[in-house]
Amino acid sequence: MTGAQAPAGTVAAASRYLVASAVSAVALLVLTVQVTARSDAVGAFDADARALADRALGAPDGPWAGAGGWADPAGSALLAAGVLAVLGLLLARRRFGAALWVAAGLSVQFAAETLLEPLVGRPAPVPADGAPQDAGYSFPSGHTASATLVLVVLLVVVRAGTRRWWLCLGAGALLVTAVGVSRVLAEAHHAADVAGGCLLGLTVGCAVAWRLDARDPNSSGKEAG
């Protein structure tokens, strides 16, 4: 649509995405403060999550664990597949403007992640096998943020309530979970870093969703499922 405004009802309905973005931003701020302060609750959450991963997947001795394990490339490959799938869907539907907004959202997310990492200054996890610790910072998880962002956008461009929408929700949730778990198993991030990545992805993703839903009459709820 060129030079036209969306109906007022559409803009009002889309405002829920702005609310979700704001709520996610506040939650991210609270978590960031807790992580920066080295909260005992954050440490306990990280330890419990890692113990659960160890029991469920045989880490840290299994083939998935560590920087040289399978989890790192597998998580990166899943993320790339998810991003390309969403961009491919938008381009196939000739939603070129939406694809550009997704790219812009990913850029904003990367910039926010780059700003937060040294600001929080959280060291990467100590490898269980005694390997050298990564010199970089770990909060938040950029992989998880990107996966969450593209899931939010996907749910906006597919008609809500349809069978396809529910399939996208299920597949997208599995993707975000798998990417997040892969970052913990690869010892690139703590579990709280993954949670922070989800909140960052929701903050930026919902803002992109608002732009798509408020300005484009072909957005969620109007396209065929």
Side-chain angles (χ1 to χ4, degrees):
M1 181 172 62
T2 304
Q5 295 295 323
T10 301
V11 176
S15 65
R16 66 188 183 275
Y17 292 117
L18 283 183
V19 174
S21 180
V23 170
S24 299
V26 171
L28 176 60
L29 176 61
V30 171
L31 179 59
T32 300
V33 170
Q34 291 295 310
V35 172
T36 304
R38 307 296 190 264
S39 164
D40 291 339
V42 171
F45 173 74
D46 290 337
D48 290 344
R50 184 56 199 259
L52 178 61
D54 290 349
R55 290 195 301 270
L57 299 170
D61 299 324
W64 291 96
W70 298 350
D72 193 12
S76 296
L78 284 172
L79 172 60
V83 172
L84 291 175
V86 171
L87 290 175
L89 173 65
L90 293 174
L91 293 176
R93 294 185 175 187
R94 304 182 67 82
R95 301 280 300 278
F96 304 121
L100 287 176
W101 274 102
V102 172
L106 290 170
S107 299
V108 169
Q109 171 244 301
F110 178 76
E113 169 199 346
T114 303
L115 177 66
L116 281 173
E117 285 179 348
L119 183 64
V120 176
R122 190 181 202 195
V126 177
D129 61 1
Q133 186 178 13
D134 192 324
Y137 300 119
S138 69
F139 182 90
S141 167
H143 281 62
T144 313
S146 297
T148 304
L149 190 157
V150 297
L151 170 58
V152 171
V153 172
L154 178 63
L155 296 179
V156 172
V157 300
V158 176
R159 184 175 179 181
T162 63
R163 179 178 298 179
R164 183 176 297 178
W165 187 90
W166 286 106
L167 287 174
C168 289
L169 174 62
L174 286 175
L175 172 68
V176 172
T177 301
V179 170
V181 170
S182 77
R183 305 315 290 159
V184 174
L185 291 179
E187 296 175 332
H189 294 282
H190 304 276
D193 307 333
V194 171
C198 284
L199 291 173
L200 176 57
L202 284 171
T203 299
V204 180
C206 288
V208 173
W210 168 79
R211 172 56 179 80
L212 298 181
D213 205 46
R215 304 296 179 85
D216 193 337
N218 292 321
S219 59
S220 66
K222 298 176 181 65
E223 284 192 357

